[in-house]
Amino acid sequence: MALMGNAEIVVAGQQDKLLAVNIIRGVITKKVETESEIVVMKKSRLLVCGSTRGDLILSDPRTLSEEHRIQAHTGTISDLDVSGNLIVTCGFSERQGTLIIDPLVKVYDMRTMRSLAPIPFPNGPSFLKMHPKLSTTVCIASQTGQFQLCDIGNLTTGIQFYQINTNNYVNCFDISFTGEMVALGDSSNVVHVWADKTEPQMNHFSSPVSAPTIQMPPSVVVGEGDPLSSVGMPYYQEQILSAWPAKTIFPVGRKPEAIPTAILDNMKMIDFVGYAPNPGLRLRNQAPSLPKVAIRDTPKFRSEQQKEIYFGKRKGSIPVAMDYEGELDVDLSTGEIPKHYKRVEIKYSKFGVEDFDFGFYNKTLFGGLETHIANSYCNALLQTLFFTPLLRSLAKAHIGQTCLRENCLTCELGFLFRMLEDSNGQNCQARNFLRAFSTIPQASALGLFEPDEPDVKTMYSSLIQNFNRFLLEQIHQECGSERNIPVGPQGALSTTSPSPIQSIFGMKTASVSVCGQCKTEEERITYPFVLDLTWPKSATGPSAHQSSKTLHQHQTKSQLPMSFSDVLKATLSREAHNRVWCSHCQQYQPTTSRKTLQELPLVLSINVGVNPKELPAVSAGMFLDENGKGSEWLPHRFTLSVDEGNIQVHMNEGPIEPVSGICAEYELTSVVSEAQCPGEVAHLVSHVKVRPDAEIVDERSPWYVFNDFLVKNVQETEVTQFPSSWKVPSIFYYSKVNTKPSLQFPEAPQSPDTSILHTDLSISKYRDPNFVFYQLLRPEEINMDKPMHIAIDTEFVALSREETEIRSDGTKSLLRPSRMSLARVSVLRGDDGPLESVPFIDDYIATSEPVVDYLTEFSGIQPGDLDPNQSKHTLVPLKVAYKRLRVLVDMGCIFVGHGLRQDFRIINILVPPEQVKDTVDIFHIKNRQRKISLRFLVWYLLHQDIQSETHNSIEDARTALALYKKYLELEENGLFKEVLDDIYNEGRRTNWKPIPGQFPAPWPRVGGPYGLSRPGTPAAPGINGGNSGIMAVGLGAGGSGSSCSIAIAPQSTTPTPMSLPDQQLPEHLQLNPVMQLPQLAQQQQQQQQQQMYIPPQQRNSFQGTPQPMPTSPTQQVPHQTPHPYYQPPQPAQPTPQHRMYHPQ
């Protein structure tokens, strides 16, 4: 096969034709007859094909017509390659009726169509590859594992031969794009990689390769006990016999209740009628109650719970939810799987994941982690690492420093640990950590990503053990710098460990290799972070269908199960025998390798190495007692000592000090296990021992089980029991019992580093100053003693569309909501002052993932706004935007906004409730389901029309701040409850749709003794539709025929001189307010005619380049301000505008 361009490929094979296929339309566009079958094909200036007859066919790539034919070999061609004008071939020759490998590599020049000097290769060439960087260098390989590099133009010098160590035939061969690596694969499924340098590169710009998802056809196995409905039926053109006519189908109603036995026993039959005395079980004409519904395992949605509270519910009609805290003492040896070990899933309503009741599964003070994120199998290990104090201190200290890596797992761990510390029982997400994890190419190459659709064969135990090793190694690379060097007990810097992770998890080990021929010893110091248990091999392997109990009975007859100390000792003191290259002998020699512990880690991380699908015979028996049930095989404490290479493991409680050497006592702190119910997908759970200084309220045990977002206090016996195969251990974490001061890492600074708020950062190459609508926060504006009010709003884009299911009744069910990503965040100053409502953060967030929907109608984000090569806005990575918000949370800022719960959820940040002022919750009646939109609230309270065309985060944040200030004003006047009730009444009247240009009567509608209200909240500058002018109401004198006149002054952008506070009314107005109101309105109109006029269509719309403001309908003035959000300080505090009303 060869790619020809224009979406066409040329294919050939066991046929006498060349076919050109259009891969877009999927049709054959051209056919060319050939004399023999084509076995290999390469494209250069011409299409070069090798046939089974040994011919070298050169064809025109456009017409596929044959241009030249060369007889290269007498037998078939096995391989060929093309580089420029050179063609090299290898194949077979026919001798005495049989085919043998031709020992020569033929070389041809495409310009002259003549052969050049052939290349001899005595072992028989089978594979050829031209060097991608050296155009005249060819790499030749044989099936026996020998290969060479030679220059076609100079065959006398520079020939190098190599031999791989294999006893099998080589069946594939390739060279990397950089020319630095050569790979040969043999028939024993082993790939041999050779390189010309110590750190070669496969490609210059490598990216993870995603394999396509192959949809396997369903397999239906029908047995004797299976219904016939499990067999799929084809589509019929005519009605089948099983379709009953409508006239033969009629409803029968509910099945009648069974007659009680008390009636049947006393019944007497007369003719065909039975008579019995009434036992008085129910009243006359009383219908029986509905049958009891089984207890449900999943909670109701929040919306359903609120609906029941609002409408009320009938006693007994609603099933009682299952309480996961009800199980006090659980015995795992019975074989019954407790419900808190079963797989938990998030259910979605039409309101999304926010409607799911996570509190149903967690009644503790510790936060769980959600599961609807890719690679969420890491949750179990993340909880274990969170409860490792040294690692948590290291991660928190790391986020307080400057880190230039965009996808740093240590930074994301620190952010996640901060959320879990502040959760107080709320559910959290590892979204940002898992997003950064998914961008690492090494993780993809190691196969650490969870399959899109896991099945019962997915081995999560192997995944989490490989992830444990990879994560510690990644943190070691990210923190291996001088800024994280551990500090000793006396405060002195320790230089013995190259990185903090090696100080915590590293086991200083001396690996000694002894050559079996020359007895040369080579020693190398390593710091492995994870200890992989080595299980002894059994004499007879287990049967595929052998149960754990039967296996244990078989084992107890032949050998006693090994204890944990025996397995650990065998792992630490094992020897390996391999054939290794000896530098002294200059050849491969049998070598014995052994390892000696020199230092013990503070935290011992152990990978159990047990595959639940193929449970070893020895390990299966260790986890069971003499009755075949779960036993406490895992110790809670043990002592490990090393004395002159002799390793001892003691199970006693107290430490044993050796005569010489090292010794440490370890305590079990965490266990990660794989749990799987029969026929279901497996999942991971972790048991964590909480430190005694943690906040535990009325708990019976320090052990907790973390099953994703299900958190429950459990007994110690559950931790060390592994019954049957539904609960298999994967990872053990032991912490060293500190008898002496150990290394301590510097804690995060007490006060947050606010330098990131004062720095203007952008990765956009074409940022336009006209699109910069913010002023950075100055250091003098920050006061740590006084919380700062800020207004925030965010915009998002969709990375994946929601998945829905249409039921048979036509209703739509949400299977998985769309995956959103932060696209823009705007933060405004909220405290009173000259810079009130001026943004100091307006960041667009760059994304490397493909965006499926920019949601421009709701977000205002255009294609290209998030691309560093096209965006004109301030563009920052997600980590920078998140760190700025993290600093604001740590500063104790009060966040004001509308719908902040969903915003914080997608951002993946946890803000304490006392720091949130959400106008969605403020303007909401608790027993009502309706949450009022920002547009309707602004239309009702501020008399403004916003979001008419699109959304803008600065506009939404500013109006939310104005709503909050309006709420404070109404609350101060004691009118808030009355206004809120009227908002709901107005919403029902208008169907919650604002009427543009028509606003309801302002509040307060019943004024004071002079018909004046308190100072209203001025309209935010630059917002369309603001109505902060003067309203004057005049009543005509007379009886029932008195008239009423209303005059509204135009809006002014400067303070109106006639706007007076309540206590500064002129004396003549106080004497006769009713008669003076029309005169005051006339004066106001005259004053307004002399002020600057701003047509609504020319006011600032928050987007694009600022336009100059006209001073009159015909006169224009040049633009003087740098951008529309800059508010210059006023020389004096302006008098606020007022609305004036007459009492009714």
Coordinates of all heavy atoms in Angstrom, one line a residue, residues 26-49:
G26 N -14.5 6.1 -0.6 CA -14.5 4.6 -0.4 C -14.8 3.9 -1.7 O -15.4 2.8 -1.6
V27 N -14.3 4.3 -2.8 CA -14.5 3.6 -4.1 C -13.2 3.4 -4.8 O -12.2 4.2 -4.5 CB -15.5 4.4 -5.0 CG1 -16.9 4.6 -4.3 CG2 -14.9 5.8 -5.3
I28 N -13.2 2.5 -5.6 CA -12.0 2.2 -6.5 C -12.0 3.1 -7.7 O -13.0 3.0 -8.5 CB -11.9 0.7 -6.9 CG1 -11.8 -0.2 -5.6 CG2 -10.7 0.5 -7.8 CD1 -11.8 -1.6 -5.9
T29 N -11.0 3.9 -7.9 CA -11.0 4.9 -9.0 C -10.3 4.4 -10.2 O -10.5 4.9 -11.3 CB -10.4 6.2 -8.5 OG1 -9.1 6.0 -8.0 CG2 -11.3 6.8 -7.4
K30 N -9.3 3.4 -10.0 CA -8.5 3.0 -11.1 C -8.1 1.6 -10.9 O -7.8 1.2 -9.8 CB -7.3 3.9 -11.3 CG -6.6 3.8 -12.6 CD -5.5 4.8 -12.7 CE -6.1 6.2 -12.6 NZ -5.0 7.2 -12.7
K31 N -8.0 0.8 -12.0 CA -7.4 -0.6 -12.0 C -6.4 -0.8 -13.1 O -6.7 -0.4 -14.2 CB -8.6 -1.6 -12.1 CG -9.6 -1.7 -11.0 CD -10.6 -2.7 -11.3 CE -11.7 -2.8 -10.2 NZ -12.7 -3.8 -10.4
V32 N -5.3 -1.4 -12.7 CA -4.2 -1.6 -13.7 C -3.8 -3.1 -13.6 O -3.5 -3.6 -12.5 CB -3.0 -0.7 -13.5 CG1 -1.9 -1.0 -14.4 CG2 -3.4 0.8 -13.6
E33 N -3.8 -3.8 -14.7 CA -3.4 -5.2 -14.7 C -1.9 -5.3 -14.5 O -1.1 -4.5 -15.1 CB -3.8 -5.9 -16.0 CG -5.3 -5.9 -16.3 CD -6.1 -6.8 -15.3 OE1 -5.4 -7.7 -14.8 OE2 -7.3 -6.6 -15.1
T34 N -1.4 -6.3 -13.8 CA 0.0 -6.6 -13.6 C 0.2 -8.1 -13.9 O -0.7 -8.9 -13.9 CB 0.4 -6.4 -12.1 OG1 -0.4 -7.2 -11.3 CG2 0.2 -4.9 -11.8
E35 N 1.5 -8.4 -14.3 CA 1.8 -9.8 -14.7 C 2.0 -10.7 -13.5 O 1.9 -11.9 -13.6 CB 3.1 -9.8 -15.5 CG 2.9 -9.0 -16.8 CD 4.2 -9.0 -17.6 OE1 5.2 -9.6 -17.1 OE2 4.2 -8.4 -18.7
S36 N 2.3 -10.2 -12.3 CA 2.5 -11.0 -11.1 C 2.0 -10.3 -9.9 O 1.7 -9.1 -9.9 CB 4.0 -11.4 -11.0 OG 4.8 -10.2 -10.9
E37 N 2.0 -11.0 -8.8 CA 1.6 -10.4 -7.5 C 2.6 -9.5 -7.0 O 3.8 -9.7 -7.1 CB 1.3 -11.5 -6.5 CG 0.2 -12.5 -6.9 CD 0.0 -13.6 -5.9 OE1 0.7 -13.6 -4.9 OE2 -0.8 -14.5 -6.2
I38 N 2.2 -8.4 -6.4 CA 3.0 -7.4 -5.8 C 3.1 -7.7 -4.3 O 2.1 -7.8 -3.6 CB 2.5 -5.9 -6.0 CG1 2.3 -5.7 -7.5 CG2 3.4 -4.9 -5.4 CD1 3.6 -5.8 -8.3
V39 N 4.4 -7.8 -3.7 CA 4.6 -8.1 -2.3 C 5.1 -6.9 -1.5 O 4.9 -6.9 -0.3 CB 5.6 -9.3 -2.2 CG1 5.0 -10.5 -2.8 CG2 6.9 -8.9 -2.9
V40 N 5.7 -5.9 -2.1 CA 6.2 -4.8 -1.4 C 6.1 -3.6 -2.4 O 6.3 -3.7 -3.6 CB 7.7 -5.0 -0.9 CG1 8.6 -5.2 -2.1 CG2 8.1 -3.8 -0.1
M41 N 5.9 -2.4 -1.8 CA 5.6 -1.2 -2.6 C 6.2 0.0 -1.8 O 5.9 0.2 -0.6 CB 4.1 -1.0 -2.9 CG 3.7 0.1 -3.8 SD 1.9 0.3 -3.8 CE 1.4 -1.3 -4.4
K42 N 6.9 0.9 -2.5 CA 7.4 2.2 -2.0 C 7.2 3.3 -3.0 O 7.2 3.0 -4.2 CB 8.9 2.1 -1.6 CG 9.2 1.1 -0.5 CD 8.6 1.6 0.8 CE 8.7 0.5 1.9 NZ 10.1 0.4 2.3
K43 N 6.9 4.5 -2.5 CA 6.7 5.6 -3.4 C 7.8 6.6 -3.3 O 8.2 7.0 -2.2 CB 5.3 6.3 -3.0 CG 5.0 7.5 -3.9 CD 3.7 8.2 -3.5 CE 3.4 9.3 -4.4 NZ 4.4 10.4 -4.3
S44 N 8.3 7.0 -4.4 CA 9.3 8.1 -4.5 C 8.9 8.9 -5.7 O 7.7 9.3 -5.8 CB 10.7 7.5 -4.7 OG 11.7 8.5 -4.8
R45 N 9.8 9.3 -6.5 CA 9.5 10.0 -7.8 C 8.6 9.1 -8.6 O 7.7 9.6 -9.3 CB 10.8 10.4 -8.5 CG 10.5 11.2 -9.8 CD 11.8 11.8 -10.3 NE 12.8 10.8 -10.4 CZ 13.0 10.0 -11.5 NH1 12.2 10.2 -12.6 NH2 14.0 9.1 -11.6
L46 N 8.9 7.8 -8.6 CA 8.0 6.8 -9.2 C 7.5 5.9 -8.2 O 8.0 5.8 -7.1 CB 8.9 6.1 -10.3 CG 9.4 6.9 -11.5 CD1 10.3 6.0 -12.4 CD2 8.3 7.5 -12.3
L47 N 6.5 5.1 -8.6 CA 5.9 4.1 -7.7 C 6.7 2.8 -7.9 O 6.7 2.2 -9.0 CB 4.5 3.9 -8.0 CG 3.7 2.9 -7.1 CD1 3.7 3.4 -5.7 CD2 2.3 2.6 -7.6
V48 N 7.5 2.4 -6.9 CA 8.4 1.2 -7.0 C 7.7 0.0 -6.4 O 7.4 0.1 -5.2 CB 9.8 1.5 -6.4 CG1 10.7 0.4 -6.6 CG2 10.4 2.8 -6.9
C49 N 7.6 -1.1 -7.2 CA 6.9 -2.3 -6.7 C 7.8 -3.5 -6.9 O 8.6 -3.6 -7.9 CB 5.6 -2.5 -7.4 SG 4.4 -1.1 -7.4

